[in-house]
Amino acid sequence: MSVRVRPTHCGLDAAIEVISGKWKVVILWALSDRRRFGELRRLIPGVSEKVLFQHLRELETDGIVRRETFDDLPLRVEYSLTARGRALNEALKPLGAWGREHLPAGDVPARAVP
């Protein structure tokens, strides 16, 4: 359950509240497969460790991301999407398709969303 305090006015507003932040949509894309923190850092160049950790915690709080800790030595933590997160990724695919279709002339997307 979300701990956000700003009231939402419609479903779209609620969805935007969950994915707001410069890196959250990219994190969702990267988590189409289970990933460790270091893998996410490599897949998302430019994001700081602090911001990545903060966004992952917020997505976890919103029920979008699952954090799993393993008692291996060294300690291992993996992140994956919950069912809600996978549904959100599916909902974002048409938006990504729209964006690719309407890129400014000369711009090329880095990679298509899986």
Side-chain angles (χ1 to χ4, degrees):
M1 183 60 67
S2 176
V3 295
R4 300 186 189 278
V5 293
R6 188 178 77 77
T8 55
H9 303 289
C10 67
L12 185 57
D13 191 35
I16 296 298
E17 179 70 16
V18 170
I19 62 171
S20 66
K22 181 176 180 179
W23 301 103
K24 285 187 181 176
V25 173
V26 180
I27 292 168
L28 289 171
W29 167 79
L31 284 175
S32 58
D33 294 318
R34 177 184 296 261
R35 305 275 183 194
R36 293 178 73 174
F37 187 84
E39 290 177 283
L40 289 170
R41 287 258 312 157
R42 285 188 295 280
L43 283 173
I44 309 170
V47 66
S48 72
E49 198 169 297
K50 175 185 173 188
V51 169
L52 178 57
F53 184 75
Q54 177 184 349
H55 282 339
L56 285 166
R57 285 292 185 181
E58 289 173 7
L59 289 166
E60 184 182 6
T61 299
D62 287 331
I64 304 300
V65 168
R66 176 183 307 108
R67 179 180 189 268
E68 193 172 354
T69 305
F70 298 89
D71 290 332
D72 301 342
L73 288 176
L75 183 67
R76 182 169 53 115
V77 177
E78 292 183 351
Y79 295 91
S80 60
L81 295 176
T82 63
R84 276 177 90 173
R86 289 188 301 276
L88 180 56
N89 247 1
E90 286 299 315
L92 290 171
K93 282 183 180 181
L95 185 60
W98 183 92
R100 284 188 300 280
E101 185 178 318
H102 293 90
L103 281 171
D107 285 357
V108 178
R111 286 192 275 182
V113 175

